[in-house]
Amino acid sequence: MSKKKKIQNKTDKLVKSINNNIRSSVRKLNPILKGIVGKKVDVAIRDLEFSEKRITRDIRKTISSAVANAENNFQYDIDNLIVKEAYCGKKITMKRFRPRAKGRAAPILKPYSSVTIILTEAKQMESHGSKG
């Protein structure tokens, strides 16, 4: 038995941008990425700009790259783009050592991560007074 192939809806084109080797841990990136999912792109970039975290600069670059991909490859209107998904994954961990007393050494772990941002064009909602 083989797996059934997923049929992707051709009308819903996704725009993806991946930033590999970000010098931060997944644990620090996850709360920032969860905060921008579902927001419009300009609102997400504005929120990241006023954040005090160092790593938001790299996330902003990744979102800007995804916006450029959407505009260049799919001719999307950048005012209608929303962040559909934003997630990160573990990459390599550099291992360094710090000298300690009595000839001992303490490990220092320097983790790297990869960030993936997926954008999609927002559907124009018609409001005719109905809840839906």
Side-chain angles (χ1 to χ4, degrees):
M1 292 176 56
S2 64
K3 286 186 179 179
K4 293 186 179 182
K5 293 183 180 177
K6 291 182 183 178
I7 300 172
Q8 196 174 26
N9 192 359
K10 296 295 179 188
T11 59
D12 187 31
K13 294 180 194 163
L14 300 177
V15 183
K16 184 188 271 192
S17 178
I18 301 172
N19 190 351
N20 287 314
N21 296 330
I22 289 183
R23 178 58 189 89
S24 180
S25 67
V26 173
R27 186 175 176 180
K28 292 176 185 177
L29 283 169
N30 260 331
I32 299 168
L33 294 176
K34 284 184 181 176
I36 62 171
V37 173
K39 293 185 178 179
K40 292 184 88 169
V41 168
D42 55 343
V43 175
I45 290 175
R46 184 190 64 213
D47 289 352
L48 291 172
E49 200 157 326
F50 289 106
S51 174
E52 294 178 1
K53 304 273 186 181
R54 171 189 62 86
I55 207 64
T56 55
R57 187 170 67 245
D58 290 330
I59 298 172
R60 262 198 330 248
K61 278 185 185 178
T62 310
I63 293 176
S64 301
S65 173
V67 168
N69 290 343
E71 195 174 17
N72 193 32
N73 300 343
F74 297 110
Q75 286 75 41
Y76 279 166
D77 183 21
I78 59 173
D79 297 328
N80 295 335
L81 290 175
I82 60 169
V83 179
K84 184 176 181 185
E85 289 180 49
Y87 55 89
C88 58
K90 251 205 278 198
K91 296 292 269 190
I92 64 166
T93 301
M94 282 198 311
K95 295 166 180 79
R96 299 291 181 261
F97 290 95
R98 182 116 183 112
R100 289 296 182 204
K102 298 183 182 178
R104 296 188 182 113
I108 296 174
L109 303 177
K110 298 188 174 192
Y112 280 74
S113 305
S114 68
V115 171
T116 304
I117 305 284
I118 298 176
L119 305 180
T120 186
E121 202 165 29
K123 306 278 190 266
Q124 294 297 326
M125 300 288 284
E126 294 181 16
S127 58
H128 295 294
S130 62
K131 294 180 182 177

